[in-house]
Amino acid sequence: PTSTCHQARSVINHLINLAKTGTEIRVLHAGVPTGPAIHQLRQELPPRLMIRRCPRVHAKAVIVDATMLYLGSANLTGAGLGAKAVHRRNFELGIRTQSPHMIDQVMSYFNTIWEGLHCEGCGRRNICPVPLEEPKLLSA
C-alpha cells in the first residue's frame, strides 16, 4: 500500500501563533534558519518570540512553563520531527520529564548561553562576529 504524507504545519507558524497569544518563546539556533523560515520570521516576529543565533549550539531541548522538559536528538526539520514519509524519517531519541531538578539544570545551562556568558572566550567568534545575533541582524 502507498502511504500518504500530509503537509506538516510549519514550526515557525506554531511559534508565531503561540507568541501572539502571550507565550514567551526563546529559541537558540546554531545557524541562519533556512530560507523559508528566515523569510517568514523577517515578515512577522512578534515581540514575545525571541531568537538568537550561536554557532556552537547543538542541544535540542524544549521547556514548557518550567514544568515540562523534552530533551532529545531531533532537529526542527521534517525528517527530525517525523513529518517525512515513513522510510525517510530520522531515527531519534528523546526524553520527556517533569523532574524539577533536571528542568532547573537545563534552564540554567540554556540561560548561560542565552545571556552570552560564553561569548568572550569563544573560539568560534570568527563566524559569529556579533555575539548572539538576532534574526534582524541576519539580513544577508
Side-chain angles (χ1 to χ4, degrees):
T2 60
S3 67
T4 56
C5 188
H6 298 287
Q7 183 69 23
R9 190 169 153 217
S10 164
V11 171
I12 300 299
N13 280 340
H14 187 65
L15 295 177
I16 288 171
N17 289 337
L18 283 171
K20 285 180 177 179
T21 64
T23 303
E24 180 181 316
I25 300 167
R26 296 187 300 159
V27 177
L28 279 171
H29 196 280
V32 177
T34 61
I38 195 70
H39 175 73
Q40 190 174 9
L41 289 169
R42 284 186 187 138
Q43 288 180 347
E44 172 179 35
L45 188 63
R48 291 187 161 273
L49 173 54
M50 297 159 281
I51 300 175
R52 293 184 178 168
R53 183 179 84 98
C54 172
R56 293 178 60 194
V57 170
H58 197 253
K60 288 92 172 170
V62 176
I63 300 172
V64 179
D65 296 332
T67 62
M68 192 280 295
L69 165 69
Y70 164 79
L71 189 61
S73 63
N75 288 323
L76 292 179
T77 62
L81 297 175
K84 295 280 186 177
V86 170
H87 299 290
R88 296 188 64 208
R89 295 178 186 150
N90 291 348
F91 299 115
E92 304 287 356
L93 289 174
I95 62 164
R96 181 182 173 269
T97 183
Q98 293 180 301
S99 162
H101 177 72
M102 187 175 267
I103 293 168
D104 287 347
Q105 294 291 319
V106 173
M107 281 179 34
S108 177
Y109 183 64
F110 177 94
N111 286 330
T112 65
I113 300 166
W114 184 263
E115 294 166 4
L117 299 181
H118 302 279
C119 291
E120 187 175 327
C122 180
R124 309 264 338 251
R125 287 299 301 275
N126 61 325
I127 62 169
C128 182
V130 180
L132 298 173
E133 295 173 294
E134 302 280 350
K136 65 181 177 277
L137 300 175
L138 299 173
S139 58

